[in-house]
Amino acid sequence: TDIIGNEYIAIKGALNAPFDKVYLMAVNSGTIINQDGAYLTTLNAGQSVETSIPGSSSYFQSSKVFYAYQLSGIGCEVGTAILPKITCTGSSDISFRLTSNENLYVTILVKSSGQNSFLVNGLAGIIRASDFVAVPGTGNNWYAAKVALSYPVGSLIRVSNSTHLFHLGLLQGGTSS
């Protein structure tokens, strides 16, 4: 619990209905959680709530620390992860190897004005500022994108930003696999 936070952003993947879900769990009683700047629920220690992402991303905030766990995926292929708190420093450079020929999406979270500085394998224009949408409830301080990438199997893909730290998630899979 010493590394969890009180602010998280979930970015919607490409999962079939019932689509992405976010599970929030309180560590302390009386944890009031807001979603996109509006009251969502009050939880006591150990209680949790399931919620959806109404737009392309969603912002969760409380004055007390809590866990945020997201169910996402592509088509009917699911994956889950505990979300990092947005005050986590992030990265300026992330590399990964493409392991299959299935769909690949990167989800990216960056602070305002960082949307213009992304490179993929040293090339601009693959992740564009126009791919990003302001995260609701953050006062346009955070921007999120889901970008489809297409590279041959075995490719090393390097995403970097020379001006801002960012968070990156990977979704790789088939719509019916």
Side-chain angles (χ1 to χ4, degrees):
T1 59
D2 59 335
I3 62 169
I4 62 174
N6 64 340
E7 290 182 282
Y8 299 92
I9 293 174
I11 302 169
K12 189 181 285 185
L15 198 58
N16 291 343
F19 310 110
D20 288 39
K21 297 294 180 188
V22 180
Y23 302 90
L24 310 169
M25 188 182 86
V27 175
N28 302 296
S29 292
T31 300
I32 299 168
I33 299 177
N34 296 311
Q35 181 176 3
D36 300 332
Y39 173 80
L40 175 65
T41 191
T42 300
L43 299 173
N44 289 319
Q47 288 183 319
S48 63
V49 65
E50 174 189 276
T51 189
S52 297
I53 303 170
S56 59
S57 63
S58 214
Y59 170 63
F60 301 94
Q61 182 275 332
S62 175
S63 61
K64 298 180 181 184
V65 297
F66 63 99
Y67 287 97
Y69 182 72
Q70 184 176 358
L71 170 75
S72 188
I74 297 174
C76 61
E77 191 168 345
V78 299
T80 63
I82 294 176
L83 296 177
K85 58 187 176 184
I86 62 172
T87 56
C88 178
T89 57
S91 302
S92 60
D93 192 307
I94 297 174
S95 296
F96 57 94
R97 188 164 303 280
L98 188 58
T99 59
S100 83
N101 61 359
E102 293 181 302
N103 299 318
L104 171 67
Y105 294 94
V106 291
T107 57
I108 303 170
L109 177 64
V110 68
K111 284 191 173 182
S112 178
S113 75
Q115 313 90 289
N116 297 309
S117 304
F118 281 94
L119 301 176
V120 178
N121 293 342
L123 300 174
I126 296 169
I127 298 173
R128 303 172 310 273
S130 61
D131 293 327
F132 288 84
V133 175
V135 177
T138 67
N140 295 332
N141 288 321
W142 289 94
Y143 283 76
K146 178 179 70 180
V147 180
L149 298 178
S150 181
Y151 289 89
V153 173
S155 295
L156 181 65
I157 301 169
R158 179 180 177 205
V159 178
S160 61
N161 188 312
S162 61
T163 64
H164 286 72
L165 297 176
F166 63 95
H167 296 258
L168 183 137
L170 297 173
L171 292 170
Q172 186 177 4
T175 56
S176 62
S177 63

